Amino acid sequence: GSTGSGDGGVGGVEPQVIVDVGCSVGISTRYISDAFPSAQMIGLDLSPYMLAVAAHRDQGQPGAERRRWVHGKGEDTGMAAGSVDVVSLAFVIHECPEVATRALMAEAARILKPGGTFVMTDNDPKSAVIQNLPPALFTLMKSTEPHSNEYYTIDVEAMLRECGFEHVHTESTDPRHRTVLGSKKHGELAPPRS
């Protein structure tokens, strides 16, 4: 299958460097790391406290030597342009205002190698489960998710295309969630930082 490595995953080439933006305590980071045992994994998060938990939980675990826990902003990683094969965001975008979502995608485009893969998993606004939530429950959910109104109206696929991605598509991952993927265009210069 296509892994999104620098050559687009042709021939089953494994990604070498994967960044898990908004990694929290590292659950998704370790899961991805286990799926790609030859890749260097970077778990990036704004919270030093979550990263401390991630690092502590990772001590002595298989593959821990391939994982780094980095304190930083997904919108401004400080990583070299064209240095990453995959950028993953698991349940991050619904926490962000639209301007931050666009900045996350632009930064992913900047750090990804041509042909590299952007992948995000999050709530699916088109899900019948979410659309049919009782109003009281939806209001309660929004009280802890201040940017959910923006998230549910963003056209994630269009935004990815605007940020320099192609082959953008959405897969339903379960009755409530979706995964959106895109590849950085080959020969595409990264969009300027705003």
Side-chain angles (χ1 to χ4, degrees):
S2 178
T3 61
S5 63
D7 70 353
V10 176
V13 175
E14 294 283 321
Q16 296 174 350
V17 180
I18 303 171
V19 179
D20 187 21
V21 175
C23 70
S24 183
V25 297
I27 294 168
S28 56
T29 313
R30 282 189 299 279
Y31 181 82
I32 296 165
S33 179
D34 289 346
F36 297 99
S38 62
Q40 295 298 308
M41 249 344 273
I42 300 166
L44 180 81
D45 203 274
L46 268 176
S47 171
Y49 306 105
M50 296 291 187
L51 290 167
V53 172
H56 177 74
R57 291 176 58 171
D58 206 27
Q59 290 176 356
Q61 295 299 310
E65 70 283 354
R66 296 181 295 103
R67 292 186 286 270
R68 287 191 303 131
W69 306 102
V70 177
H71 182 233
K73 291 177 61 175
E75 306 95 311
D76 185 15
T77 63
M79 295 177 187
S83 63
V84 173
D85 297 295
V86 177
V87 173
S88 174
L89 292 91
F91 300 98
V92 172
I93 301 292
H94 78 271
E95 302 281 359
C96 302
E98 184 173 345
V99 66
T101 298
R102 185 176 302 279
L104 286 165
M105 292 177 182
E107 179 66 353
R110 188 187 72 77
I111 66 174
L112 279 167
K113 296 174 183 174
T117 299
F118 173 93
V119 58
M120 62 153 276
T121 298
D122 216 314
N123 298 327
D124 184 354
K126 296 177 183 173
S127 156
V129 172
I130 290 176
Q131 288 188 357
N132 294 321
L133 283 174
L137 186 56
F138 195 72
T139 300
L140 179 63
M141 190 172 82
K142 288 193 314 185
S143 72
T144 63
E145 307 291 352
H147 302 291
S148 62
N149 281 347
E150 286 180 77
Y151 171 75
Y152 288 117
T153 61
I154 293 171
D155 184 339
V156 171
E157 288 190 10
M159 193 178 282
L160 280 169
R161 287 184 191 97
E162 291 166 11
C163 288
F165 292 91
E166 60 186 358
H167 310 296
V168 176
H169 66 282
T170 299
E171 301 283 338
S172 178
T173 45
D174 66 35
R176 285 185 42 219
H177 303 106
R178 66 178 174 178
T179 298
V180 184
L181 302 107
S183 300
K184 181 178 175 179
K185 292 179 182 176
H186 285 275
E188 186 79 9
L189 294 176
R193 289 186 186 191
S194 29

